Amino acid sequence: PFAMLFVGPAISLATSLTIAASNFISPAAPSSTHLRPSLQQSSIVIAAESIADPPTTTTTAPALQIIVAYGKLAGRTCYGSTSPPGSSCQLPLSDLEHELGLDSSSLSSSLSSGLTKEEFKTRLDNLPFQWPLKPYGRDSMKKLSKTAVVNKGAETAIYMDELERRGLYDRRNPTGPLPTNLRPEMNKVLEKEGLEEDAVDVVFDALVAAGCDASGSSVGAATSAGDESLLTREGLERVFGERDVIDYYGFLELVPNNRINWPRYWSPGD
């Protein structure tokens, strides 16, 4: 019984293919070992297709790159106030449309009704980066209005790790600059490094997917002559829904969590 349990799962794909092929091409073999021609051919085809089609993988991006993408798109509008210099806060729909060339004035002088992924990357690369602030409170406008005053950056653990990794900050030095005061320098470093292709893929796909209606119709993903997805103004409006502006948390909700590589030390609400 133990041998029977072991043999079944242990037969490899290559072995199955070999057995199927030998049964198909060996007419001298005893009839008891013969497979019907249709079954023989099916076995070979299925095995060959299994080898030829490797499993597809989903593109992911480091959490830092998602922060950079948002920090490039977002501005200093901050719940009725303005965020401190060197920081970003909220992302108004009108600003996003203008940045991406999808506002009415830009579209009227353009031959295209949307952006390809490559055009989206070019637009992002040309935008300045400012580290985003963490929304102070999530459901209370009274608390959110204090975000600029509290002036706490989003993902503090990641920010501190990046400062130290680049030699910009030493927590063992009590006379060194405050981490908050190093934002402008960190911004310059990250802006120079730019966005990786994987991060562009993840953010672009998230915005296009969020622009689909409830039935799955790709309102935000028009199709060009090359069968390429486009990020459209109509899609962005559907992303925002009834909102005129989104914040850092709202942006994260658009990006599937399984496409973000969070550090091991990260915890929600950091």
mmCIF file of all heavy atoms in Angstrom, residues 221-265:
data_model
loop_
_atom_site.group_PDB
_atom_site.id
_atom_site.type_symbol
_atom_site.label_atom_id
_atom_site.label_comp_id
_atom_site.label_asym_id
_atom_site.label_seq_id
_atom_site.Cartn_x
_atom_site.Cartn_y
_atom_site.Cartn_z
ATOM 1 N N ALA A 221 -9.662 52.128 -19.791
ATOM 2 C CA ALA A 221 -8.682 51.434 -20.617
ATOM 3 C C ALA A 221 -9.178 51.358 -22.048
ATOM 4 O O ALA A 221 -9.734 50.367 -22.480
ATOM 5 C CB ALA A 221 -8.437 50.030 -20.072
ATOM 6 N N ALA A 222 -8.999 52.431 -22.765
ATOM 7 C CA ALA A 222 -9.360 52.420 -24.180
ATOM 8 C C ALA A 222 -8.346 51.586 -24.926
ATOM 9 O O ALA A 222 -7.330 51.199 -24.382
ATOM 10 C CB ALA A 222 -9.393 53.847 -24.717
ATOM 11 N N THR A 223 -8.619 51.291 -26.171
ATOM 12 C CA THR A 223 -7.711 50.467 -26.949
ATOM 13 C C THR A 223 -7.194 51.230 -28.149
ATOM 14 O O THR A 223 -7.971 51.776 -28.920
ATOM 15 C CB THR A 223 -8.418 49.181 -27.437
ATOM 16 O OG1 THR A 223 -8.904 48.479 -26.298
ATOM 17 C CG2 THR A 223 -7.434 48.294 -28.175
ATOM 18 N N SER A 224 -5.879 51.283 -28.282
ATOM 19 C CA SER A 224 -5.279 51.982 -29.404
ATOM 20 C C SER A 224 -5.092 51.009 -30.552
ATOM 21 O O SER A 224 -5.425 49.835 -30.457
ATOM 22 C CB SER A 224 -3.924 52.567 -28.989
ATOM 23 O OG SER A 224 -3.003 51.528 -28.746
ATOM 24 N N ALA A 225 -4.490 51.495 -31.635
ATOM 25 C CA ALA A 225 -4.280 50.642 -32.805
ATOM 26 C C ALA A 225 -3.396 49.458 -32.475
ATOM 27 O O ALA A 225 -3.502 48.396 -33.051
ATOM 28 C CB ALA A 225 -3.679 51.470 -33.936
ATOM 29 N N GLY A 226 -2.499 49.652 -31.522
ATOM 30 C CA GLY A 226 -1.598 48.570 -31.149
ATOM 31 C C GLY A 226 -2.135 47.717 -30.031
ATOM 32 O O GLY A 226 -1.391 46.990 -29.383
ATOM 33 N N ASP A 227 -3.447 47.805 -29.769
ATOM 34 C CA ASP A 227 -4.088 47.023 -28.719
ATOM 35 C C ASP A 227 -3.429 47.295 -27.375
ATOM 36 O O ASP A 227 -3.186 46.393 -26.588
ATOM 37 C CB ASP A 227 -4.020 45.524 -29.055
ATOM 38 C CG ASP A 227 -5.002 44.728 -28.188
ATOM 39 O OD1 ASP A 227 -6.012 45.316 -27.778
ATOM 40 O OD2 ASP A 227 -4.729 43.541 -27.923
ATOM 41 N N GLU A 228 -3.162 48.565 -27.107
ATOM 42 C CA GLU A 228 -2.489 48.963 -25.883
ATOM 43 C C GLU A 228 -3.445 49.738 -24.989
ATOM 44 O O GLU A 228 -4.200 50.586 -25.456
ATOM 45 C CB GLU A 228 -1.274 49.836 -26.230
ATOM 46 C CG GLU A 228 -0.376 50.146 -25.056
ATOM 47 C CD GLU A 228 0.900 50.834 -25.503
ATOM 48 O OE1 GLU A 228 0.945 51.294 -26.662
ATOM 49 O OE2 GLU A 228 1.834 50.906 -24.701
ATOM 50 N N SER A 229 -3.422 49.444 -23.687
ATOM 51 C CA SER A 229 -4.306 50.125 -22.753
ATOM 52 C C SER A 229 -3.946 51.597 -22.652
ATOM 53 O O SER A 229 -2.773 51.969 -22.670
ATOM 54 C CB SER A 229 -4.214 49.483 -21.376
ATOM 55 O OG SER A 229 -4.720 48.173 -21.397
ATOM 56 N N LEU A 230 -4.968 52.429 -22.531
ATOM 57 C CA LEU A 230 -4.773 53.858 -22.364
ATOM 58 C C LEU A 230 -5.417 54.313 -21.059
ATOM 59 O O LEU A 230 -6.488 53.849 -20.684
ATOM 60 C CB LEU A 230 -5.400 54.630 -23.527
ATOM 61 C CG LEU A 230 -4.844 54.407 -24.933
ATOM 62 C CD1 LEU A 230 -5.620 55.246 -25.940
ATOM 63 C CD2 LEU A 230 -3.363 54.755 -24.990
ATOM 64 N N LEU A 231 -4.756 55.228 -20.379
ATOM 65 C CA LEU A 231 -5.317 55.854 -19.200
ATOM 66 C C LEU A 231 -6.039 57.116 -19.665
ATOM 67 O O LEU A 231 -5.420 58.022 -20.214
ATOM 68 C CB LEU A 231 -4.212 56.211 -18.206
ATOM 69 C CG LEU A 231 -4.649 56.863 -16.890
ATOM 70 C CD1 LEU A 231 -5.587 55.934 -16.133
ATOM 71 C CD2 LEU A 231 -3.435 57.219 -16.048
ATOM 72 N N THR A 232 -7.348 57.164 -19.468
ATOM 73 C CA THR A 232 -8.161 58.257 -20.008
ATOM 74 C C THR A 232 -8.692 59.171 -18.907
ATOM 75 O O THR A 232 -8.701 58.817 -17.724
ATOM 76 C CB THR A 232 -9.355 57.697 -20.800
ATOM 77 O OG1 THR A 232 -10.228 57.017 -19.871
ATOM 78 C CG2 THR A 232 -8.899 56.724 -21.875
ATOM 79 N N ARG A 233 -9.161 60.319 -19.334
ATOM 80 C CA ARG A 233 -9.757 61.260 -18.390
ATOM 81 C C ARG A 233 -11.016 60.663 -17.764
ATOM 82 O O ARG A 233 -11.255 60.793 -16.559
ATOM 83 C CB ARG A 233 -10.098 62.576 -19.109
ATOM 84 C CG ARG A 233 -10.655 63.647 -18.185
ATOM 85 C CD ARG A 233 -11.021 64.897 -18.958
ATOM 86 N NE ARG A 233 -11.453 65.955 -18.067
ATOM 87 C CZ ARG A 233 -11.916 67.123 -18.467
ATOM 88 N NH1 ARG A 233 -12.020 67.381 -19.772
ATOM 89 N NH2 ARG A 233 -12.297 68.031 -17.595
ATOM 90 N N GLU A 234 -11.830 60.002 -18.575
ATOM 91 C CA GLU A 234 -13.054 59.373 -18.069
ATOM 92 C C GLU A 234 -12.718 58.311 -17.027
ATOM 93 O O GLU A 234 -13.437 58.147 -16.027
ATOM 94 C CB GLU A 234 -13.849 58.746 -19.217
ATOM 95 C CG GLU A 234 -14.454 59.740 -20.189
ATOM 96 C CD GLU A 234 -13.426 60.309 -21.163
ATOM 97 O OE1 GLU A 234 -12.294 59.780 -21.211
ATOM 98 O OE2 GLU A 234 -13.750 61.281 -21.865
ATOM 99 N N GLY A 235 -11.630 57.584 -17.265
ATOM 100 C CA GLY A 235 -11.210 56.569 -16.309
ATOM 101 C C GLY A 235 -10.804 57.180 -14.982
ATOM 102 O O GLY A 235 -11.152 56.667 -13.909
ATOM 103 N N LEU A 236 -10.058 58.286 -15.024
ATOM 104 C CA LEU A 236 -9.641 58.952 -13.789
ATOM 105 C C LEU A 236 -10.838 59.472 -13.004
ATOM 106 O O LEU A 236 -10.874 59.390 -11.771
ATOM 107 C CB LEU A 236 -8.687 60.110 -14.103
ATOM 108 C CG LEU A 236 -7.285 59.734 -14.590
ATOM 109 C CD1 LEU A 236 -6.467 60.997 -14.848
ATOM 110 C CD2 LEU A 236 -6.574 58.842 -13.588
ATOM 111 N N GLU A 237 -11.823 60.003 -13.727
ATOM 112 C CA GLU A 237 -13.019 60.507 -13.051
ATOM 113 C C GLU A 237 -13.758 59.376 -12.354
ATOM 114 O O GLU A 237 -14.322 59.546 -11.272
ATOM 115 C CB GLU A 237 -13.929 61.212 -14.060
ATOM 116 C CG GLU A 237 -13.334 62.533 -14.562
ATOM 117 C CD GLU A 237 -14.149 63.164 -15.668
ATOM 118 O OE1 GLU A 237 -15.081 62.493 -16.182
ATOM 119 O OE2 GLU A 237 -13.867 64.325 -16.023
ATOM 120 N N ARG A 238 -13.746 58.191 -12.968
ATOM 121 C CA ARG A 238 -14.391 57.043 -12.326
ATOM 122 C C ARG A 238 -13.567 56.574 -11.126
ATOM 123 O O ARG A 238 -14.131 56.125 -10.120
ATOM 124 C CB ARG A 238 -14.558 55.900 -13.337
ATOM 125 C CG ARG A 238 -15.382 54.743 -12.796
ATOM 126 C CD ARG A 238 -15.658 53.722 -13.876
ATOM 127 N NE ARG A 238 -16.559 54.238 -14.883
ATOM 128 C CZ ARG A 238 -17.883 54.219 -14.775
ATOM 129 N NH1 ARG A 238 -18.451 53.723 -13.688
ATOM 130 N NH2 ARG A 238 -18.640 54.696 -15.737
ATOM 131 N N VAL A 239 -12.243 56.702 -11.197
ATOM 132 C CA VAL A 239 -11.376 56.344 -10.066
ATOM 133 C C VAL A 239 -11.733 57.195 -8.844
ATOM 134 O O VAL A 239 -11.841 56.692 -7.720
ATOM 135 C CB VAL A 239 -9.888 56.552 -10.432
ATOM 136 C CG1 VAL A 239 -9.021 56.450 -9.181
ATOM 137 C CG2 VAL A 239 -9.445 55.523 -11.463
ATOM 138 N N PHE A 240 -11.927 58.488 -9.056
ATOM 139 C CA PHE A 240 -12.213 59.400 -7.947
ATOM 140 C C PHE A 240 -13.672 59.322 -7.499
ATOM 141 O O PHE A 240 -13.980 59.641 -6.353
ATOM 142 C CB PHE A 240 -11.864 60.839 -8.356
ATOM 143 C CG PHE A 240 -10.416 61.172 -8.191
ATOM 144 C CD1 PHE A 240 -9.449 60.592 -9.011
ATOM 145 C CD2 PHE A 240 -9.995 62.074 -7.222
ATOM 146 C CE1 PHE A 240 -8.110 60.902 -8.875
ATOM 147 C CE2 PHE A 240 -8.651 62.394 -7.064
ATOM 148 C CZ PHE A 240 -7.702 61.817 -7.901
ATOM 149 N N GLY A 241 -14.554 58.888 -8.401
ATOM 150 C CA GLY A 241 -15.963 58.800 -8.039
ATOM 151 C C GLY A 241 -16.529 60.163 -7.699
ATOM 152 O O GLY A 241 -16.397 61.116 -8.455
ATOM 153 N N GLU A 242 -17.127 60.279 -6.512
ATOM 154 C CA GLU A 242 -17.710 61.545 -6.078
ATOM 155 C C GLU A 242 -16.687 62.431 -5.369
ATOM 156 O O GLU A 242 -17.009 63.537 -4.932
ATOM 157 C CB GLU A 242 -18.901 61.279 -5.154
ATOM 158 C CG GLU A 242 -20.039 60.519 -5.834
ATOM 159 C CD GLU A 242 -21.215 60.298 -4.896
ATOM 160 O OE1 GLU A 242 -21.106 60.678 -3.705
ATOM 161 O OE2 GLU A 242 -22.236 59.751 -5.355
ATOM 162 N N ARG A 243 -15.459 61.939 -5.246
ATOM 163 C CA ARG A 243 -14.425 62.717 -4.551
ATOM 164 C C ARG A 243 -13.747 63.690 -5.519
ATOM 165 O O ARG A 243 -13.573 63.395 -6.695
ATOM 166 C CB ARG A 243 -13.366 61.791 -3.958
ATOM 167 C CG ARG A 243 -13.899 60.777 -2.949
ATOM 168 C CD ARG A 243 -12.856 59.751 -2.579
ATOM 169 N NE ARG A 243 -12.494 58.906 -3.722
ATOM 170 C CZ ARG A 243 -11.599 57.907 -3.672
ATOM 171 N NH1 ARG A 243 -10.995 57.628 -2.540
ATOM 172 N NH2 ARG A 243 -11.338 57.192 -4.753
ATOM 173 N N ASP A 244 -13.335 64.824 -4.988
ATOM 174 C CA ASP A 244 -12.543 65.770 -5.766
ATOM 175 C C ASP A 244 -11.057 65.571 -5.508
ATOM 176 O O ASP A 244 -10.214 66.063 -6.257
ATOM 177 C CB ASP A 244 -12.921 67.218 -5.412
ATOM 178 C CG ASP A 244 -14.353 67.554 -5.815
ATOM 179 O OD1 ASP A 244 -14.785 67.065 -6.877
ATOM 180 O OD2 ASP A 244 -15.024 68.280 -5.057
ATOM 181 N N VAL A 245 -10.754 64.858 -4.434
ATOM 182 C CA VAL A 245 -9.362 64.707 -4.014
ATOM 183 C C VAL A 245 -9.209 63.383 -3.265
ATOM 184 O O VAL A 245 -10.158 62.900 -2.639
ATOM 185 C CB VAL A 245 -8.955 65.903 -3.106
ATOM 186 C CG1 VAL A 245 -9.806 65.933 -1.855
ATOM 187 C CG2 VAL A 245 -7.477 65.853 -2.743
ATOM 188 N N ILE A 246 -8.025 62.778 -3.360
ATOM 189 C CA ILE A 246 -7.702 61.599 -2.550
ATOM 190 C C ILE A 246 -6.415 61.876 -1.779
ATOM 191 O O ILE A 246 -5.633 62.764 -2.147
ATOM 192 C CB ILE A 246 -7.546 60.313 -3.393
ATOM 193 C CG1 ILE A 246 -6.404 60.447 -4.402
ATOM 194 C CG2 ILE A 246 -8.840 59.941 -4.080
ATOM 195 C CD1 ILE A 246 -6.098 59.162 -5.152
ATOM 196 N N ASP A 247 -6.193 61.120 -0.717
ATOM 197 C CA ASP A 247 -4.954 61.278 0.051
ATOM 198 C C ASP A 247 -4.109 60.018 -0.077
ATOM 199 O O ASP A 247 -4.409 59.121 -0.901
ATOM 200 C CB ASP A 247 -5.244 61.605 1.521
ATOM 201 C CG ASP A 247 -6.101 60.541 2.215
ATOM 202 O OD1 ASP A 247 -6.198 59.404 1.694
ATOM 203 O OD2 ASP A 247 -6.683 60.845 3.280
ATOM 204 N N TYR A 248 -3.063 59.932 0.726
ATOM 205 C CA TYR A 248 -2.127 58.801 0.621
ATOM 206 C C TYR A 248 -2.833 57.462 0.833
ATOM 207 O O TYR A 248 -2.608 56.510 0.082
ATOM 208 C CB TYR A 248 -1.005 58.983 1.644
ATOM 209 C CG TYR A 248 -0.041 57.818 1.702
ATOM 210 C CD1 TYR A 248 0.841 57.562 0.648
ATOM 211 C CD2 TYR A 248 -0.012 56.968 2.807
ATOM 212 C CE1 TYR A 248 1.724 56.486 0.699
ATOM 213 C CE2 TYR A 248 0.864 55.898 2.863
ATOM 214 C CZ TYR A 248 1.728 55.656 1.815
ATOM 215 O OH TYR A 248 2.591 54.593 1.862
ATOM 216 N N TYR A 249 -3.694 57.404 1.840
ATOM 217 C CA TYR A 249 -4.404 56.151 2.096
ATOM 218 C C TYR A 249 -5.349 55.800 0.947
ATOM 219 O O TYR A 249 -5.489 54.632 0.571
ATOM 220 C CB TYR A 249 -5.197 56.234 3.410
ATOM 221 C CG TYR A 249 -4.351 56.194 4.661
ATOM 222 C CD1 TYR A 249 -4.708 56.909 5.802
ATOM 223 C CD2 TYR A 249 -3.179 55.434 4.711
ATOM 224 C CE1 TYR A 249 -3.939 56.859 6.955
ATOM 225 C CE2 TYR A 249 -2.400 55.386 5.858
ATOM 226 C CZ TYR A 249 -2.783 56.103 6.984
ATOM 227 O OH TYR A 249 -2.012 56.058 8.118
ATOM 228 N N GLY A 250 -5.998 56.817 0.400
ATOM 229 C CA GLY A 250 -6.891 56.571 -0.730
ATOM 230 C C GLY A 250 -6.138 56.034 -1.935
ATOM 231 O O GLY A 250 -6.645 55.180 -2.676
ATOM 232 N N PHE A 251 -4.921 56.512 -2.123
ATOM 233 C CA PHE A 251 -4.086 56.025 -3.231
ATOM 234 C C PHE A 251 -3.696 54.562 -3.012
ATOM 235 O O PHE A 251 -3.747 53.753 -3.943
ATOM 236 C CB PHE A 251 -2.831 56.896 -3.338
ATOM 237 C CG PHE A 251 -1.931 56.546 -4.495
ATOM 238 C CD1 PHE A 251 -2.258 56.910 -5.795
ATOM 239 C CD2 PHE A 251 -0.745 55.865 -4.287
ATOM 240 C CE1 PHE A 251 -1.426 56.596 -6.864
ATOM 241 C CE2 PHE A 251 0.095 55.549 -5.349
ATOM 242 C CZ PHE A 251 -0.250 55.912 -6.638
ATOM 243 N N LEU A 252 -3.318 54.224 -1.775
ATOM 244 C CA LEU A 252 -2.949 52.838 -1.480
ATOM 245 C C LEU A 252 -4.110 51.881 -1.707
ATOM 246 O O LEU A 252 -3.903 50.726 -2.091
ATOM 247 C CB LEU A 252 -2.463 52.710 -0.033
ATOM 248 C CG LEU A 252 -1.066 53.238 0.298
ATOM 249 C CD1 LEU A 252 -0.711 52.891 1.737
ATOM 250 C CD2 LEU A 252 -0.006 52.682 -0.651
ATOM 251 N N GLU A 253 -5.323 52.348 -1.475
ATOM 252 C CA GLU A 253 -6.493 51.494 -1.682
ATOM 253 C C GLU A 253 -6.687 51.143 -3.151
ATOM 254 O O GLU A 253 -7.321 50.129 -3.474
ATOM 255 C CB GLU A 253 -7.748 52.185 -1.138
ATOM 256 C CG GLU A 253 -7.784 52.265 0.387
ATOM 257 C CD GLU A 253 -8.962 53.086 0.889
ATOM 258 O OE1 GLU A 253 -9.696 53.637 0.037
ATOM 259 O OE2 GLU A 253 -9.145 53.176 2.122
ATOM 260 N N LEU A 254 -6.137 51.955 -4.042
ATOM 261 C CA LEU A 254 -6.262 51.680 -5.473
ATOM 262 C C LEU A 254 -5.293 50.600 -5.928
ATOM 263 O O LEU A 254 -5.541 49.899 -6.911
ATOM 264 C CB LEU A 254 -5.995 52.960 -6.287
ATOM 265 C CG LEU A 254 -6.925 54.152 -6.040
ATOM 266 C CD1 LEU A 254 -6.444 55.353 -6.856
ATOM 267 C CD2 LEU A 254 -8.361 53.809 -6.400
ATOM 268 N N VAL A 255 -4.176 50.460 -5.217
ATOM 269 C CA VAL A 255 -3.118 49.531 -5.629
ATOM 270 C C VAL A 255 -3.285 48.211 -4.877
ATOM 271 O O VAL A 255 -3.259 48.201 -3.638
ATOM 272 C CB VAL A 255 -1.720 50.110 -5.346
ATOM 273 C CG1 VAL A 255 -0.627 49.168 -5.850
ATOM 274 C CG2 VAL A 255 -1.569 51.494 -5.978
ATOM 275 N N PRO A 256 -3.460 47.102 -5.576
ATOM 276 C CA PRO A 256 -3.601 45.806 -4.886
ATOM 277 C C PRO A 256 -2.403 45.539 -3.975
ATOM 278 O O PRO A 256 -1.250 45.703 -4.382
ATOM 279 C CB PRO A 256 -3.647 44.792 -6.036
ATOM 280 C CG PRO A 256 -4.140 45.581 -7.214
ATOM 281 C CD PRO A 256 -3.552 46.963 -7.042
ATOM 282 N N ASN A 257 -2.687 45.142 -2.745
ATOM 283 C CA ASN A 257 -1.608 44.952 -1.772
ATOM 284 C C ASN A 257 -0.622 43.861 -2.186
ATOM 285 O O ASN A 257 0.560 43.910 -1.840
ATOM 286 C CB ASN A 257 -2.191 44.623 -0.391
ATOM 287 C CG ASN A 257 -1.175 44.797 0.718
ATOM 288 O OD1 ASN A 257 -0.553 45.853 0.844
ATOM 289 N ND2 ASN A 257 -0.993 43.758 1.528
ATOM 290 N N ASN A 258 -1.109 42.869 -2.962
ATOM 291 C CA ASN A 258 -0.210 41.796 -3.381
ATOM 292 C C ASN A 258 0.763 42.237 -4.477
ATOM 293 O O ASN A 258 1.605 41.454 -4.919
ATOM 294 C CB ASN A 258 -1.007 40.570 -3.845
ATOM 295 C CG ASN A 258 -1.824 40.834 -5.108
ATOM 296 O OD1 ASN A 258 -2.004 41.991 -5.519
ATOM 297 N ND2 ASN A 258 -2.304 39.776 -5.729
ATOM 298 N N ARG A 259 0.640 43.488 -4.928
ATOM 299 C CA ARG A 259 1.579 43.998 -5.923
ATOM 300 C C ARG A 259 2.575 44.974 -5.300
ATOM 301 O O ARG A 259 3.366 45.605 -6.003
ATOM 302 C CB ARG A 259 0.818 44.669 -7.067
ATOM 303 C CG ARG A 259 -0.119 43.718 -7.807
ATOM 304 C CD ARG A 259 -0.559 44.262 -9.138
ATOM 305 N NE ARG A 259 0.547 44.351 -10.081
ATOM 306 C CZ ARG A 259 0.419 44.794 -11.333
ATOM 307 N NH1 ARG A 259 -0.764 45.190 -11.776
ATOM 308 N NH2 ARG A 259 1.456 44.859 -12.130
ATOM 309 N N ILE A 260 2.519 45.099 -3.963
ATOM 310 C CA ILE A 260 3.458 45.955 -3.244
ATOM 311 C C ILE A 260 4.339 45.080 -2.354
ATOM 312 O O ILE A 260 3.840 44.282 -1.565
ATOM 313 C CB ILE A 260 2.732 46.993 -2.376
ATOM 314 C CG1 ILE A 260 1.751 47.815 -3.213
ATOM 315 C CG2 ILE A 260 3.738 47.918 -1.697
ATOM 316 C CD1 ILE A 260 0.934 48.813 -2.407
ATOM 317 N N ASN A 261 5.645 45.234 -2.486
ATOM 318 C CA ASN A 261 6.591 44.491 -1.641
ATOM 319 C C ASN A 261 6.887 45.320 -0.391
ATOM 320 O O ASN A 261 7.761 46.182 -0.388
ATOM 321 C CB ASN A 261 7.887 44.218 -2.402
ATOM 322 C CG ASN A 261 7.688 43.294 -3.578
ATOM 323 O OD1 ASN A 261 6.841 42.393 -3.538
ATOM 324 N ND2 ASN A 261 8.438 43.505 -4.641
ATOM 325 N N TRP A 262 6.127 45.050 0.671
ATOM 326 C CA TRP A 262 6.339 45.778 1.917
ATOM 327 C C TRP A 262 7.507 45.172 2.686
ATOM 328 O O TRP A 262 7.688 43.951 2.679
ATOM 329 C CB TRP A 262 5.089 45.727 2.790
ATOM 330 C CG TRP A 262 3.923 46.464 2.237
ATOM 331 C CD1 TRP A 262 2.842 45.942 1.599
ATOM 332 C CD2 TRP A 262 3.731 47.888 2.246
ATOM 333 N NE1 TRP A 262 1.974 46.933 1.217
ATOM 334 C CE2 TRP A 262 2.488 48.141 1.598
ATOM 335 C CE3 TRP A 262 4.466 48.958 2.744
ATOM 336 C CZ2 TRP A 262 1.988 49.435 1.454
ATOM 337 C CZ3 TRP A 262 3.958 50.240 2.590
ATOM 338 C CH2 TRP A 262 2.738 50.464 1.952
ATOM 339 N N PRO A 263 8.296 45.987 3.376
ATOM 340 C CA PRO A 263 9.401 45.446 4.196
ATOM 341 C C PRO A 263 8.852 44.575 5.316
ATOM 342 O O PRO A 263 7.700 44.725 5.734
ATOM 343 C CB PRO A 263 10.071 46.721 4.762
ATOM 344 C CG PRO A 263 9.619 47.835 3.880
ATOM 345 C CD PRO A 263 8.249 47.459 3.393
ATOM 346 N N ARG A 264 9.679 43.702 5.828
ATOM 347 C CA ARG A 264 9.233 42.800 6.885
ATOM 348 C C ARG A 264 8.864 43.541 8.151
ATOM 349 O O ARG A 264 8.025 43.094 8.926
ATOM 350 C CB ARG A 264 10.338 41.774 7.198
ATOM 351 C CG ARG A 264 10.592 40.793 6.060
ATOM 352 C CD ARG A 264 11.661 39.795 6.443
ATOM 353 N NE ARG A 264 11.891 38.827 5.365
ATOM 354 C CZ ARG A 264 12.783 37.845 5.425
ATOM 355 N NH1 ARG A 264 13.531 37.702 6.509
ATOM 356 N NH2 ARG A 264 12.944 37.020 4.403
ATOM 357 N N TYR A 265 9.524 44.685 8.395
ATOM 358 C CA TYR A 265 9.261 45.422 9.621
ATOM 359 C C TYR A 265 8.029 46.299 9.526
ATOM 360 O O TYR A 265 7.621 46.936 10.482
ATOM 361 C CB TYR A 265 10.466 46.297 9.999
ATOM 362 C CG TYR A 265 10.903 47.256 8.917
ATOM 363 C CD1 TYR A 265 10.168 48.397 8.590
ATOM 364 C CD2 TYR A 265 12.083 47.014 8.185
ATOM 365 C CE1 TYR A 265 10.566 49.256 7.586
ATOM 366 C CE2 TYR A 265 12.485 47.881 7.190
ATOM 367 C CZ TYR A 265 11.732 49.010 6.899
ATOM 368 O OH TYR A 265 12.136 49.871 5.903
#
